[in-house]
Amino acid sequence: EVQLQASGGGLVQAGGSLRLSCAISGLPFNNTHIGWFRQAPGKEREGVTCFDTGGVPYYEDSVKGRFTLISDRTSNTAYLQMDNLKPEDTAVYFCTPALKSFYGGYYCRPSRNYWGQGTQVTVSS
């Protein structure tokens, strides 16, 4: 059974930081690239960051320079380090297998239909 458990969300003031964790089981972590998506109230889910097939992180423009995607193969855990958070980052964050793809522009494409419950991130102004 595949399990993806995102955690580490919370309430933080604008300019603050959070580190999200994604514990993965049931997947071969060494052959699986994990990406992060988010869904704000009333909006569609969007890709935030993911790896390309060479293991190089890709970041959506709004988070570039503020978010860092980290993969720790020793613990089968992926992390999303979020710095200089903004109110518009408020959303439920999900981790899932994903890869950088191209269709009119670069984006993160989920490679499997595995979604955990996500973790809520709320940034106050």
Side-chain angles (χ1 to χ4, degrees):
E1 181 185 4
V2 176
Q3 289 189 336
L4 298 159
Q5 182 61 53
S7 62
L11 174 63
V12 64
Q13 289 188 333
S17 297
L18 283 173
R19 174 173 282 210
L20 306 184
S21 300
C22 178
I24 302 149
S25 61
L27 286 174
F29 191 86
N30 285 339
N31 295 325
T32 302
H33 291 298
I34 296 296
W36 288 88
F37 291 71
R38 66 186 179 187
Q39 186 166 20
K43 295 188 177 181
E44 293 187 355
R45 188 177 294 170
E46 64 173 356
V48 175
T49 178
C50 55
F51 290 105
D52 67 13
T53 54
V56 177
Y58 159 79
Y59 300 96
E60 191 269 331
D61 284 347
S62 69
V63 307
K64 201 173 295 183
R66 300 187 297 119
F67 289 12
T68 304
L69 178 58
I70 301 166
S71 179
D72 182 353
R73 301 193 181 283
T74 62
S75 63
N76 283 8
T77 305
Y79 300 95
L80 180 62
Q81 176 66 39
M82 305 187 295
D83 298 314
N84 190 21
L85 282 160
K86 302 177 180 181
E88 51 263 42
D89 295 320
T90 295
V92 178
Y93 284 71
F94 302 87
C95 57
T96 191
L99 282 173
K100 176 186 177 183
S101 299
F102 183 86
Y103 186 79
Y106 289 110
Y107 72 105
C108 292
R109 180 179 60 84
S111 53
R112 301 191 187 191
N113 191 29
Y114 297 139
W115 299 94
Q117 289 190 342
T119 185
Q120 175 71 47
V121 172
T122 303
V123 185
S124 63
S125 57

